[in-house]
Amino acid sequence: MWGAVGRAGLRAFSGGGSPNVGRTLEGKVAVVTAATDGIGLAVAQRLGEAGARVLLSSRRQPNVDAAVQKLRAQGLEVSGVVCHVGQPQDRQHLVQTIFQVNVTAAAMLVKLVVPHMEKRGGGAVVLVTSVAGFMPFPALGPYSVSKTALLGLVKVLAPELRARGVRINAVAPGLIQTRFSAALWQNEATKEQLMSSMGIDRLGTPSDVAEVVAFLCSPAASYVVGETMVVAGGTPSRL
Ligand SMILES: NC(=O)c1ccc[n+]([C@@H]2O[C@H](COP(=O)([O-])OP(=O)(O)OC[C@H]3O[C@@H](n4cnc5c(N)ncnc54)[C@H](OP(=O)(O)O)[C@@H]3O)[C@@H](O)[C@H]2O)c1
C-alpha cells in the first residue's frame, strides 16, 4: 500500500467524518493505492476526514465501487479507479511477484506522482513497509526482505525528493487485524503465541496506522523526512 498527498489548488469541500479530526489536508489531493480494505481503506478515510480529496484504488472494480460508496456515505470527497500495482503477465515466481508489488511498484508510483506534486508546489509520500522489514517473520522470508528494501528506498529517495519539495517517509505496521493477516490472528492459540513473542497486548487496527499516515502527510510533520515510523505496539524493531 502506498499513499501520497499533494497540493492541488482545488476547491475546498466540506467533508464529513469525526469533528475531532483537524482538517490539516484541506485543498490537497490524496492518492492511496490498495485502498479498498484494511490499512489502505482506513488511511483513505482518515486523509479524507483531514480534508483531502481522495483517489483510491485496488485491483477489483467491485471493491473500488464499494469503498467509494462507503466513504462518500460519510460525506467524504472520494473517487476510485482500478489499479493493479504489479504486472501479472510477468509473474513466473512468487518471489518475483512479491518484489514486483512491494518494491518495484512503489518506486514506479513515486516516480510517476512526484512531477505532478512538484508542479503544484510540493507534497508528501508515505510508503507502507512492515515491522517484518526489521525483524523477519518466520516463513515469510521474501516478504520480509521486500519490506526491508522499502526502508532503503525511503532513505535513497528522501534527499532527491526533498530538493523537489516532496517529503517521503514510511510506516511499518506490526500485526494489524485485517484480511491480509487473518491467517496470523484467526486461530486463538496462534494469535496468543504470536502476541507473546512480539511482546504486544493487543492487535493493531487499521486506524492505528491511518493516524500516523495522516500525521506524516500533515504540516505538523514538515521536518520529518526519510523516516520509517513503526506502528507495532512495542514489537521489537531494530535491524
Ligand atoms: N495487516 C498486517 O498485519 C500488516 C502488517 C505489516 C504490514 N502490512 C502491510 O500493509 C499493507 C496493507 O495490508 P492490509 O493488512 O491492509 O491488507 P488487506 O486488508 O488485505 O487490504 C489489501 C488492499 O490492497 C488491495 N490490493 C492487494 N493487492 C493489490 C495490488 N497488487 N494492486 C492494487 N491493490 C491491491 C486490496 O483490494 P483488491 O483485492 O480489490 O485489489 C485491498 O484494498 C501491505 O503492504 C502489507 O504488507 C500489513
Side-chain angles (χ1 to χ4, degrees):
M1 203 272 291
W2 172 95
V5 171
R7 203 167 288 143
L10 299 168
R11 73 184 166 81
F13 68 98
S14 58
S18 160
N20 297 323
V21 170
R23 294 182 64 81
T24 54
L25 300 176
E26 199 85 60
K28 311 269 182 173
V29 171
V31 180
V32 189
T33 61
T36 57
D37 206 353
I39 295 169
L41 179 59
V43 168
Q45 177 177 342
R46 181 62 181 75
L47 297 183
E49 287 170 358
R53 299 177 72 180
V54 178
L55 176 67
L56 61 76
S57 65
S58 82
R59 293 165 298 184
R60 287 175 260 256
Q61 188 71 57
N63 293 352
V64 171
D65 294 342
V68 168
Q69 200 178 4
K70 181 177 171 182
L71 298 188
R72 280 184 182 163
Q74 294 169 23
L76 304 179
E77 189 156 332
V78 178
S79 50
V81 66
V82 170
C83 169
H84 191 312
V85 300
Q87 291 178 343
Q89 67 276 21
D90 293 341
R91 291 178 187 171
Q92 300 284 318
H93 306 292
L94 180 62
V95 174
Q96 279 181 334
T97 302
I98 286 173
F99 276 83
Q100 183 63 45
V101 169
N102 285 358
V103 186
T104 312
M108 286 168 57
L109 284 164
V110 170
K111 200 174 165 196
L112 282 171
V113 81
V114 162
H116 296 282
M117 289 181 159
E118 203 178 2
K119 249 187 261 161
R120 291 170 168 155
V125 174
V126 180
L127 304 182
V128 180
T129 172
S130 169
V131 77
F134 293 94
M135 298 282 288
F137 283 177
L140 290 178
Y143 172 81
S144 302
V145 173
S146 75
K147 294 297 191 180
T148 308
L150 287 183
L151 306 180
L153 185 65
V154 169
K155 291 289 181 200
V156 165
L157 291 176
E160 184 192 323
L161 300 193
R162 192 180 48 207
R164 301 169 70 181
V166 176
R167 286 185 303 109
I168 183 165
N169 289 290
V171 288
L175 187 53
I176 309 295
Q177 192 163 7
T178 67
R179 183 165 52 93
F180 170 78
S181 59
L184 303 178
W185 53 261
Q186 261 172 353
N187 177 299
E188 204 54 39
T190 314
K191 182 177 109 181
E192 292 303 322
Q193 194 256 320
L194 217 85
M195 284 172 57
S196 88
S197 72
M198 293 175 133
I200 53 173
D201 54 13
R202 70 167 174 89
L203 297 181
T205 65
S207 74
D208 287 325
V209 182
E211 287 298 330
V212 177
V213 173
F215 164 69
L216 289 173
C217 289
S218 76
S222 63
Y223 205 52
V224 183
V225 180
E227 299 298 338
T228 295
M229 294 189 71
V230 177
V231 189
T235 307
S237 59
R238 287 289 163 262
L239 277 175

